[in-house]
Amino acid sequence: MTPATPPNVTPRPSACPGLWRIVGARDGGICRIKLAGGLLLAEQAEAVAAAAERYAGGVIEATNRANLQIRGIGSDHAGLVDALLAAGLGPRDAASDDVRNLMLSPLAGHDRHMLLDVRPLAGQILDLLQGTPRLHELSAKFALQLDGGEGVAMLEHPHDLWLSPLRLEQRDWLAFGLASCPADGQALGAVPVEQGLALVRAVLHRFLDLASAEQSRMRQLLQHGTAEAFIDGLGLDVRRDAAVRQWRRQAADLPWLGVVPQRHGVALGVAPPLGRLTPAMLRGVAHVARQWGDGSVRLSPWQSLMLTNIAPAAVEPARAELAALGLLCGPDEPLARLVACTGSQGCAKGLADTKADAVTLAGLLPGGAVASVHLAGCPRSCAVAHVAPATLMARSPGRYDLYLRDARLPGLGALRAADLTLNEAGAMLALPTEHLDD
């Protein structure tokens, strides 16, 4: 039986969409489905496809935090929510919807390079977030990352709290950082793995103890106090010696598209063009996951999908079926290097039709061009959570400013050229990366 929508439930005010809070946009309502660890079962994928057709315009998006969202939702919000809850895609109660912001590797538990299977701890953290009423006061943007040392891992997204494994003195520890990311954030301390849940609990409660109403993120709180003082008040024995402070997360730089070896079998990474899925695509992915995989799909922070536990002999037929659906199956495809926000067709703040412009730009970029290009319709840069190697910031329809990432500069990096047409931007981005700064 489809569960009834609980009466008199009003999620905490926020501009971010959630399952219970459908936010209006130019193309209709937006509902964000937060997936536990990015996991989507085949039957749940089919339920999302059906809901997008019945209650919306059929547009489904993979997000940069490994979630899904449905766009173009009509007036029957309750019907949509009930359909998703019936598929097990919602929280236990509306108040806990916002805070389930825990990102894992799409290959958590399967990656050959992992140092730790973080899935049991991830389940405990999600239970903590959902089951602790006080933690429902956290912002809908307050985000956590639990890294297991996987080879396929997004290490550049900033998080309010991140944890990553390291081994010291024949013992497993969890290094952690605040308001940073594993790629460039120094570990501030470490606790034994078995104290990981206690660390998360202490950090979240201490944040709420100290933060004002205007300080919704850890970075805002730390502007008015030191990380050392924050850690001093956790009430935990945190290791902070040189061995921890000098540790750095090493990236394996494995591809997230194409065939990726696992501990058992292989995973197959595919991406919907510019992050957008049709119901037919999602149903097709569910079919492939059942026929040749383990019946599940994992969303990734690259706005892509990974199908796990595929037998090597099944890779080619699985990939052929996914490619026939219109999914990108390899990193050499031009659209695989482009990310674009909703743009002016779906967002009132968008200054250009970034989705259509990205398709045009893809035809102008040969192999060897810059690795990743982000087309942003406005300065909010919603499509990516970190700075891309190259960003095209819209000025007006079809015209963009080009920025190149520079670690020495804040924000998007260095302004390379202004008020470019797509042809001009394509000509510049088609240059080999080493010549872009000439």
Side-chain angles (χ1 to χ4, degrees):
M1 177 181 295
T2 301
T5 304
N8 302 320
V9 173
T10 303
R12 177 171 41 75
S14 173
C16 291
L19 176 67
W20 299 91
R21 180 179 50 254
I22 296 174
V23 174
R26 178 170 284 174
D27 57 348
I30 305 173
C31 171
R32 184 169 297 156
I33 306 164
K34 294 186 177 181
L35 303 172
L39 177 63
L40 183 71
L41 302 179
E43 56 268 26
Q44 293 175 324
E46 292 167 340
V48 172
E53 287 177 328
R54 180 173 179 182
Y55 301 102
V59 175
I60 305 160
E61 293 180 326
T63 77
N64 59 36
R65 297 249 178 221
N67 295 312
L68 284 175
Q69 58 188 32
I70 298 174
R71 297 191 69 95
I73 298 166
S75 59
D76 190 0
H77 293 187
L80 172 71
V81 172
D82 283 347
L84 297 175
L85 288 175
L89 288 165
R92 296 170 185 168
D93 59 78
S96 67
D97 187 23
D98 279 342
V99 297
R100 299 178 306 132
N101 300 323
L102 176 64
M103 194 173 81
L104 311 182
S105 162
L107 287 185
H110 299 283
D111 195 293
R112 291 197 306 176
H113 297 267
M114 70 182 187
L115 302 177
L116 181 69
D117 184 350
V118 297
R119 291 174 298 176
L121 177 56
Q124 294 174 341
I125 293 172
L126 285 170
D127 286 343
L128 172 72
L129 290 167
Q130 294 177 138
T132 309
R134 191 188 183 212
L135 298 184
H136 302 167
E137 300 171 18
L138 292 167
S139 162
K141 293 184 178 294
F142 197 97
L144 289 74
Q145 180 175 10
L146 180 55
D147 169 39
E150 299 88 357
V152 178
M154 168 56 77
L155 303 177
E156 294 184 292
H157 279 11
H159 284 81
D160 295 278
L161 168 65
W162 58 264
L163 302 95
S164 190
L166 72 157
R167 189 160 184 81
L168 296 172
E169 301 155 359
Q170 285 70 55
R171 187 177 185 183
D172 290 325
W173 298 75
L174 283 171
F176 68 93
L178 303 173
S180 61
C181 62
D184 58 16
Q186 182 184 46
L188 299 175
V191 297
V193 165
E194 58 271 19
Q195 293 182 22
L197 182 63
L199 172 68
V200 172
R201 181 187 294 111
V203 168
L204 298 184
H205 281 285
R206 180 151 173 77
F207 174 83
L208 290 174
D209 287 342
L210 297 177
S212 68
E214 294 75 29
Q215 295 168 333
S216 61
R217 304 297 301 275
M218 185 68 74
R219 66 175 184 273
Q220 296 167 329
L221 178 66
L222 295 183
Q223 289 173 353
H224 301 278
T226 67
E228 292 293 334
F230 184 94
I231 295 170
D232 287 342
L234 292 178
L236 296 175
D237 185 11
V238 176
R239 180 170 177 171
R240 290 185 266 181
D241 60 0
V244 172
R245 294 301 188 102
Q246 293 170 7
W247 170 86
R248 292 294 181 271
R249 170 63 156 94
Q250 299 299 311
D253 292 326
L254 292 183
W256 45 269
L257 282 182
V259 178
V260 183
Q262 297 180 187
R263 288 194 166 187
H264 306 288
V266 299
L268 186 56
V270 297
L274 302 174
R276 285 204 164 172
L277 292 149
T278 65
M281 281 181 179
L282 199 50
R283 288 193 180 96
V285 169
H287 176 263
V288 172
R290 279 201 188 96
Q291 184 170 4
W292 288 300
D294 56 14
S296 69
V297 182
R298 286 162 173 80
L299 274 291
S300 92
W302 297 277
Q303 296 177 289
S304 65
L305 318 171
M306 296 200 86
L307 288 76
T308 46
N309 294 326
I310 297 176
V315 166
E316 287 311 314
R319 181 157 50 185
E321 185 169 336
L322 293 165
L325 293 167
L327 292 158
L328 309 175
C329 298
D332 56 335
E333 302 189 55
L335 272 178
R337 302 201 300 272
L338 298 177
V339 180
C341 67
T342 299
S344 57
Q345 290 299 304
C347 176
K349 295 183 182 294
L351 300 177
D353 186 354
T354 50
K355 294 289 191 191
D357 288 347
V359 173
T360 299
L361 185 64
L364 303 172
L365 296 181
V370 66
S372 177
V373 183
H374 168 211
L375 283 80
C378 78
R380 295 184 304 164
S381 298
C382 298
V384 295
H386 65 279
V387 178
T391 299
L392 287 171
M393 179 65 65
R395 294 173 63 105
S396 60
R399 304 192 75 92
Y400 293 83
D401 293 342
L402 171 61
Y403 292 84
L404 299 181
R405 182 167 61 189
D406 187 330
R408 299 165 298 180
L409 298 174
L412 301 177
L415 178 63
R416 182 66 177 81
D419 201 21
L420 298 173
T421 65
L422 289 174
N423 284 334
E424 291 167 341
M428 293 193 68
L429 291 169
L431 294 172
T433 305
E434 62 268 23
H435 296 310
L436 273 172
D437 287 319
D438 290 352

